[in-house]
Amino acid sequence: MTKETSSKTRKPKRGQTREALMAAALDLVVKKAPFSSLSLREVTKRAGVVPTAFYRHFPDMSALGLTLLDESFRTLRQMMRQVRQDQVPGENMLRGSVETYFNYVRENRAHFLFVAKELFGGTPTMRNAIRREIRMFTNELAMDMARFPFLNHFSSEDLQMMAALVVNNVTALTQEMLELEENDEFGQQQVLVAAEKQLRLVFLGVTQWKSSPVTT
Amino acid sequence: MTKETSSKTRKPKRGQTREALMAAALDLVVKKAPFSSLSLREVTKRAGVVPTAFYRHFPDMSALGLTLLDESFRTLRQMMRQVRQDQVPGENMLRGSVETYFNYVRENRAHFLFVAKELFGGTPTMRNAIRREIRMFTNELAMDMARFPFLNHFSSEDLQMMAALVVNNVTALTQEMLELEENDEFGQQQVLVAAEKQLRLVFLGVTQWKSSPVTT
DNA sequence: TTTTTTAGTGAACAGGTGTTGACAAAAAAT
DNA sequence: ATTTTTTGTCAACACCTGTTCACTAAAAAA
């Protein structure tokens, strides 16, 4: 054979470059800057490839961003589904859900940080994608609530409002948790306890709620 | 008359350049990108001065950012103070406060957008400054609440938790409002109504709340 | 008035940016 | 074994970035 398999290994990389790019971007978001201010060259450098290799996998940075967003939400949705079906509507249902959720946040810190930063800092396209996803969660929660006997007499608007209230708070608490150092177990525990209390208070409010007739 | 205000004006600018720079940056944040991805040259261009003029007023971009942040919170604090002293603790106190607050948000859209984007997208310095400010609001609210007869039997921790709940939601609703078009009066009205309902529900919860003995 | 301080300009730098095009090795298809 | 497709490299481009320096008009101080 005329040519030997060159030993200097100029291009032995496999199809894993795409994932390397995504991992590099996520990494930079976590420890450096919001996604919108990452440069293509920066990402490729960290991924260990030459800048032009980027175009073999994504047309531009914003495409990478959307892919990352998709990845983040796919795993999140799958967790939510599991939380919901593991649920035995018992006494400490709330505590269990809260714990499961926040454990998941801790285990997927990078993805949550990415989403949190893009929620306001990102491009309109990205912001809309995220908001749509959150709205979906709110709707699902409202439907779940409607299945409980002591809740199903509420109008769907009221249920929607209550679900939004819960989601708003969980979102805020998630952001609070993300601001803590990764190893600050005490702080994280505190957030968890606060979350449980706040949600319990909300549900107390729900039990007292009386839908008011149409107001302007 | 020595000289009339020359019309060719090579350098007749007054001390208003500093403000022009701040206004330019704020403007760019509103209609283009998060502050962290603005360039110094971009800002000076919009302000109508040459890049190097920037250094006559700020050492770098991050200093401009902090000044902008300061400005945002100064006016916000002043409004909060006014809301609190205008308050006659009556029936529709809640509604009044909510309306005043959201009107203020509408009138200071740019500043709120700036803060919202920096809350997660900004540098650590900026994020900390914002969080400190929010924590301060929460504390003040907790103290205000402590003055009400039907609330002053709660532990300060419980009050803090309740105040945090309120602040979390108002923050989330503010962000929701900021996502709407500036002229979407209907949408804004909807957010306002939702805000009022959610807060009313929270206060219902508060009236039912019983501080649980120390749990782990 | 004269002097000093403030606040603008313009040219130039070293370096980072996205994107192109031509090329070649490896992997897959034939 | 041969061809084709995929996936990497390298060189080059035109542009934008932050920052420096020397220069000067205007405003303030003397």
PDB file of all heavy atoms in Angstrom, chain B residues 92-104:
ATOM      1  N   ASN B  92     -58.475  47.398  50.188  1.00  0.00           N
ATOM      2  CA  ASN B  92     -57.855  47.185  48.882  1.00  0.00           C
ATOM      3  C   ASN B  92     -56.410  47.647  48.856  1.00  0.00           C
ATOM      4  O   ASN B  92     -55.891  48.091  47.844  1.00  0.00           O
ATOM      5  CB  ASN B  92     -58.650  47.899  47.800  1.00  0.00           C
ATOM      6  CG  ASN B  92     -58.958  49.320  48.221  1.00  0.00           C
ATOM      7  OD1 ASN B  92     -58.389  49.830  49.203  1.00  0.00           O
ATOM      8  ND2 ASN B  92     -59.836  49.965  47.479  1.00  0.00           N
ATOM      9  N   MET B  93     -55.780  47.533  49.979  1.00  0.00           N
ATOM     10  CA  MET B  93     -54.376  47.903  50.073  1.00  0.00           C
ATOM     11  C   MET B  93     -53.553  47.116  49.056  1.00  0.00           C
ATOM     12  O   MET B  93     -52.716  47.661  48.352  1.00  0.00           O
ATOM     13  CB  MET B  93     -53.901  47.579  51.486  1.00  0.00           C
ATOM     14  CG  MET B  93     -52.442  47.774  51.704  1.00  0.00           C
ATOM     15  SD  MET B  93     -52.022  47.342  53.391  1.00  0.00           S
ATOM     16  CE  MET B  93     -51.468  45.666  53.200  1.00  0.00           C
ATOM     17  N   LEU B  94     -53.858  45.841  48.996  1.00  0.00           N
ATOM     18  CA  LEU B  94     -53.088  44.975  48.112  1.00  0.00           C
ATOM     19  C   LEU B  94     -53.210  45.437  46.665  1.00  0.00           C
ATOM     20  O   LEU B  94     -52.210  45.627  45.972  1.00  0.00           O
ATOM     21  CB  LEU B  94     -53.588  43.540  48.255  1.00  0.00           C
ATOM     22  CG  LEU B  94     -52.696  42.442  47.712  1.00  0.00           C
ATOM     23  CD1 LEU B  94     -52.881  41.181  48.530  1.00  0.00           C
ATOM     24  CD2 LEU B  94     -52.981  42.171  46.251  1.00  0.00           C
ATOM     25  N   ARG B  95     -54.450  45.636  46.256  1.00  0.00           N
ATOM     26  CA  ARG B  95     -54.662  46.051  44.883  1.00  0.00           C
ATOM     27  C   ARG B  95     -53.931  47.346  44.568  1.00  0.00           C
ATOM     28  O   ARG B  95     -53.282  47.483  43.524  1.00  0.00           O
ATOM     29  CB  ARG B  95     -56.155  46.231  44.619  1.00  0.00           C
ATOM     30  CG  ARG B  95     -56.432  46.749  43.236  1.00  0.00           C
ATOM     31  CD  ARG B  95     -57.895  47.071  43.019  1.00  0.00           C
ATOM     32  NE  ARG B  95     -58.230  46.782  41.630  1.00  0.00           N
ATOM     33  CZ  ARG B  95     -59.039  45.818  41.268  1.00  0.00           C
ATOM     34  NH1 ARG B  95     -59.587  45.040  42.175  1.00  0.00           N
ATOM     35  NH2 ARG B  95     -59.299  45.615  40.000  1.00  0.00           N
ATOM     36  N   GLY B  96     -54.016  48.286  45.460  1.00  0.00           N
ATOM     37  CA  GLY B  96     -53.356  49.565  45.239  1.00  0.00           C
ATOM     38  C   GLY B  96     -51.854  49.415  45.074  1.00  0.00           C
ATOM     39  O   GLY B  96     -51.269  49.949  44.125  1.00  0.00           O
ATOM     40  N   SER B  97     -51.259  48.651  45.967  1.00  0.00           N
ATOM     41  CA  SER B  97     -49.815  48.464  45.887  1.00  0.00           C
ATOM     42  C   SER B  97     -49.422  47.817  44.572  1.00  0.00           C
ATOM     43  O   SER B  97     -48.474  48.251  43.908  1.00  0.00           O
ATOM     44  CB  SER B  97     -49.341  47.589  47.046  1.00  0.00           C
ATOM     45  OG  SER B  97     -49.705  48.172  48.272  1.00  0.00           O
ATOM     46  N   VAL B  98     -50.154  46.780  44.226  1.00  0.00           N
ATOM     47  CA  VAL B  98     -49.848  46.073  42.990  1.00  0.00           C
ATOM     48  C   VAL B  98     -49.937  47.012  41.794  1.00  0.00           C
ATOM     49  O   VAL B  98     -49.053  47.040  40.923  1.00  0.00           O
ATOM     50  CB  VAL B  98     -50.802  44.878  42.800  1.00  0.00           C
ATOM     51  CG1 VAL B  98     -50.686  44.320  41.394  1.00  0.00           C
ATOM     52  CG2 VAL B  98     -50.503  43.798  43.824  1.00  0.00           C
ATOM     53  N   GLU B  99     -50.990  47.813  41.777  1.00  0.00           N
ATOM     54  CA  GLU B  99     -51.138  48.737  40.642  1.00  0.00           C
ATOM     55  C   GLU B  99     -50.016  49.761  40.590  1.00  0.00           C
ATOM     56  O   GLU B  99     -49.440  50.024  39.537  1.00  0.00           O
ATOM     57  CB  GLU B  99     -52.500  49.440  40.714  1.00  0.00           C
ATOM     58  CG  GLU B  99     -53.584  48.666  40.007  1.00  0.00           C
ATOM     59  CD  GLU B  99     -54.930  49.381  40.080  1.00  0.00           C
ATOM     60  OE1 GLU B  99     -54.945  50.552  40.525  1.00  0.00           O
ATOM     61  OE2 GLU B  99     -55.943  48.771  39.725  1.00  0.00           O
ATOM     62  N   THR B 100     -49.729  50.330  41.717  1.00  0.00           N
ATOM     63  CA  THR B 100     -48.649  51.326  41.752  1.00  0.00           C
ATOM     64  C   THR B 100     -47.344  50.725  41.265  1.00  0.00           C
ATOM     65  O   THR B 100     -46.631  51.305  40.434  1.00  0.00           O
ATOM     66  CB  THR B 100     -48.447  51.848  43.185  1.00  0.00           C
ATOM     67  OG1 THR B 100     -49.706  52.289  43.702  1.00  0.00           O
ATOM     68  CG2 THR B 100     -47.466  53.011  43.194  1.00  0.00           C
ATOM     69  N   TYR B 101     -47.060  49.546  41.782  1.00  0.00           N
ATOM     70  CA  TYR B 101     -45.801  48.908  41.409  1.00  0.00           C
ATOM     71  C   TYR B 101     -45.715  48.651  39.910  1.00  0.00           C
ATOM     72  O   TYR B 101     -44.751  49.025  39.250  1.00  0.00           O
ATOM     73  CB  TYR B 101     -45.611  47.604  42.180  1.00  0.00           C
ATOM     74  CG  TYR B 101     -44.423  46.807  41.699  1.00  0.00           C
ATOM     75  CD1 TYR B 101     -43.133  47.181  42.041  1.00  0.00           C
ATOM     76  CD2 TYR B 101     -44.593  45.695  40.880  1.00  0.00           C
ATOM     77  CE1 TYR B 101     -42.034  46.475  41.593  1.00  0.00           C
ATOM     78  CE2 TYR B 101     -43.501  44.981  40.423  1.00  0.00           C
ATOM     79  CZ  TYR B 101     -42.226  45.372  40.784  1.00  0.00           C
ATOM     80  OH  TYR B 101     -41.155  44.664  40.318  1.00  0.00           O
ATOM     81  N   PHE B 102     -46.734  48.052  39.357  1.00  0.00           N
ATOM     82  CA  PHE B 102     -46.655  47.696  37.943  1.00  0.00           C
ATOM     83  C   PHE B 102     -46.720  48.909  37.024  1.00  0.00           C
ATOM     84  O   PHE B 102     -46.165  48.901  35.921  1.00  0.00           O
ATOM     85  CB  PHE B 102     -47.715  46.655  37.583  1.00  0.00           C
ATOM     86  CG  PHE B 102     -47.307  45.267  37.982  1.00  0.00           C
ATOM     87  CD1 PHE B 102     -47.887  44.637  39.072  1.00  0.00           C
ATOM     88  CD2 PHE B 102     -46.321  44.593  37.294  1.00  0.00           C
ATOM     89  CE1 PHE B 102     -47.503  43.358  39.451  1.00  0.00           C
ATOM     90  CE2 PHE B 102     -45.926  43.320  37.662  1.00  0.00           C
ATOM     91  CZ  PHE B 102     -46.527  42.703  38.743  1.00  0.00           C
ATOM     92  N   ASN B 103     -47.382  49.952  37.465  1.00  0.00           N
ATOM     93  CA  ASN B 103     -47.315  51.188  36.692  1.00  0.00           C
ATOM     94  C   ASN B 103     -45.876  51.689  36.644  1.00  0.00           C
ATOM     95  O   ASN B 103     -45.394  52.137  35.604  1.00  0.00           O
ATOM     96  CB  ASN B 103     -48.212  52.272  37.309  1.00  0.00           C
ATOM     97  CG  ASN B 103     -49.641  52.136  36.849  1.00  0.00           C
ATOM     98  OD1 ASN B 103     -49.893  51.581  35.779  1.00  0.00           O
ATOM     99  ND2 ASN B 103     -50.570  52.616  37.643  1.00  0.00           N
ATOM    100  N   TYR B 104     -45.241  51.583  37.775  1.00  0.00           N
ATOM    101  CA  TYR B 104     -43.855  52.016  37.830  1.00  0.00           C
ATOM    102  C   TYR B 104     -42.979  51.169  36.904  1.00  0.00           C
ATOM    103  O   TYR B 104     -42.108  51.693  36.207  1.00  0.00           O
ATOM    104  CB  TYR B 104     -43.343  51.932  39.270  1.00  0.00           C
ATOM    105  CG  TYR B 104     -41.926  52.394  39.406  1.00  0.00           C
ATOM    106  CD1 TYR B 104     -41.605  53.743  39.450  1.00  0.00           C
ATOM    107  CD2 TYR B 104     -40.891  51.470  39.473  1.00  0.00           C
ATOM    108  CE1 TYR B 104     -40.305  54.168  39.552  1.00  0.00           C
ATOM    109  CE2 TYR B 104     -39.575  51.886  39.584  1.00  0.00           C
ATOM    110  CZ  TYR B 104     -39.285  53.233  39.624  1.00  0.00           C
ATOM    111  OH  TYR B 104     -37.996  53.635  39.726  1.00  0.00           O
TER     112      TYR B 104
END
